[in-house]
Amino acid sequence: LGLFAVCLLLAGSADALQWGVKTGGGVVFKPSPSRWGGHASLEIPLSEDYPTSLSAFFEIYRKSSINQMPAGLSIHYKAPLTRWGGTIYFAGGGGVLRVSGLGNSLTNGMLTVAGGGIIPVTESVGVFGQFRWFKAFSSGSVNEYGLQFGLHFPLGRE
């Protein structure tokens, strides 16, 4: 929640540009077994001159009473998908990965890279899909791979 509060404060300086909210579901499919969950993120544009934005994200995945919660900040570079609309983006950043369940919990720093696309359905809603890789800064951590998908709500002007 703190990450979203920081981004909302930054939004005041970027309210003339288009920012957005993504919400949806996802799956972390490696390492096995797969875990299903949800995704939420807030995108704040960084510049009128460059197609970049700061994104605060939170995800939660659950399987067999174990919760996995990656949260962090990433910088997005966006480019037009086609001349008819849509956007592709690439992102990199970091944050924290919290794993809890079975009577214990661990919180570690993490590194993340993502890529995806947004296709507008109407002026006020679109659909998104993205692939995310993340890895915790701890001994014995493994590469995690996931897919997220859902709705994108653009706010402001382009």
Side-chain angles (χ1 to χ4, degrees), residues 3 25 38 41 45 48 50 53 60 63 66 71-72 85 98 100 104 107 112 117 124 134 153 156:
L3 293 173
S41 60
E48 287 193 38
Y50 302 102
S53 63
I60 184 167
K63 177 77 175 196
I66 296 175
R98 180 174 171 84
S100 63
N104 61 9
T107 303
T112 184
S124 59
F134 57 95
F153 302 96

Side-chain angles (χ1 to χ4, degrees), residues 50-110:
Y50 302 102
T52 56
S53 63
L54 176 67
S55 178
F57 65 90
F58 175 79
E59 297 167 2
I60 184 167
Y61 302 97
R62 184 173 172 89
K63 177 77 175 196
S64 302
S65 301
I66 296 175
N67 294 321
Q68 183 179 40
M69 295 170 277
L73 295 172
S74 59
I75 302 291
H76 285 226
Y77 174 79
K78 297 180 176 184
L81 180 61
T82 69
R83 63 181 174 184
W84 299 285
T87 305
I88 60 170
Y89 58 89
F90 304 95
V96 295
L97 176 62
R98 180 174 171 84
V99 179
S100 63
L102 302 176
N104 61 9
S105 65
L106 297 168
T107 303
N108 292 299
M110 73 167 186

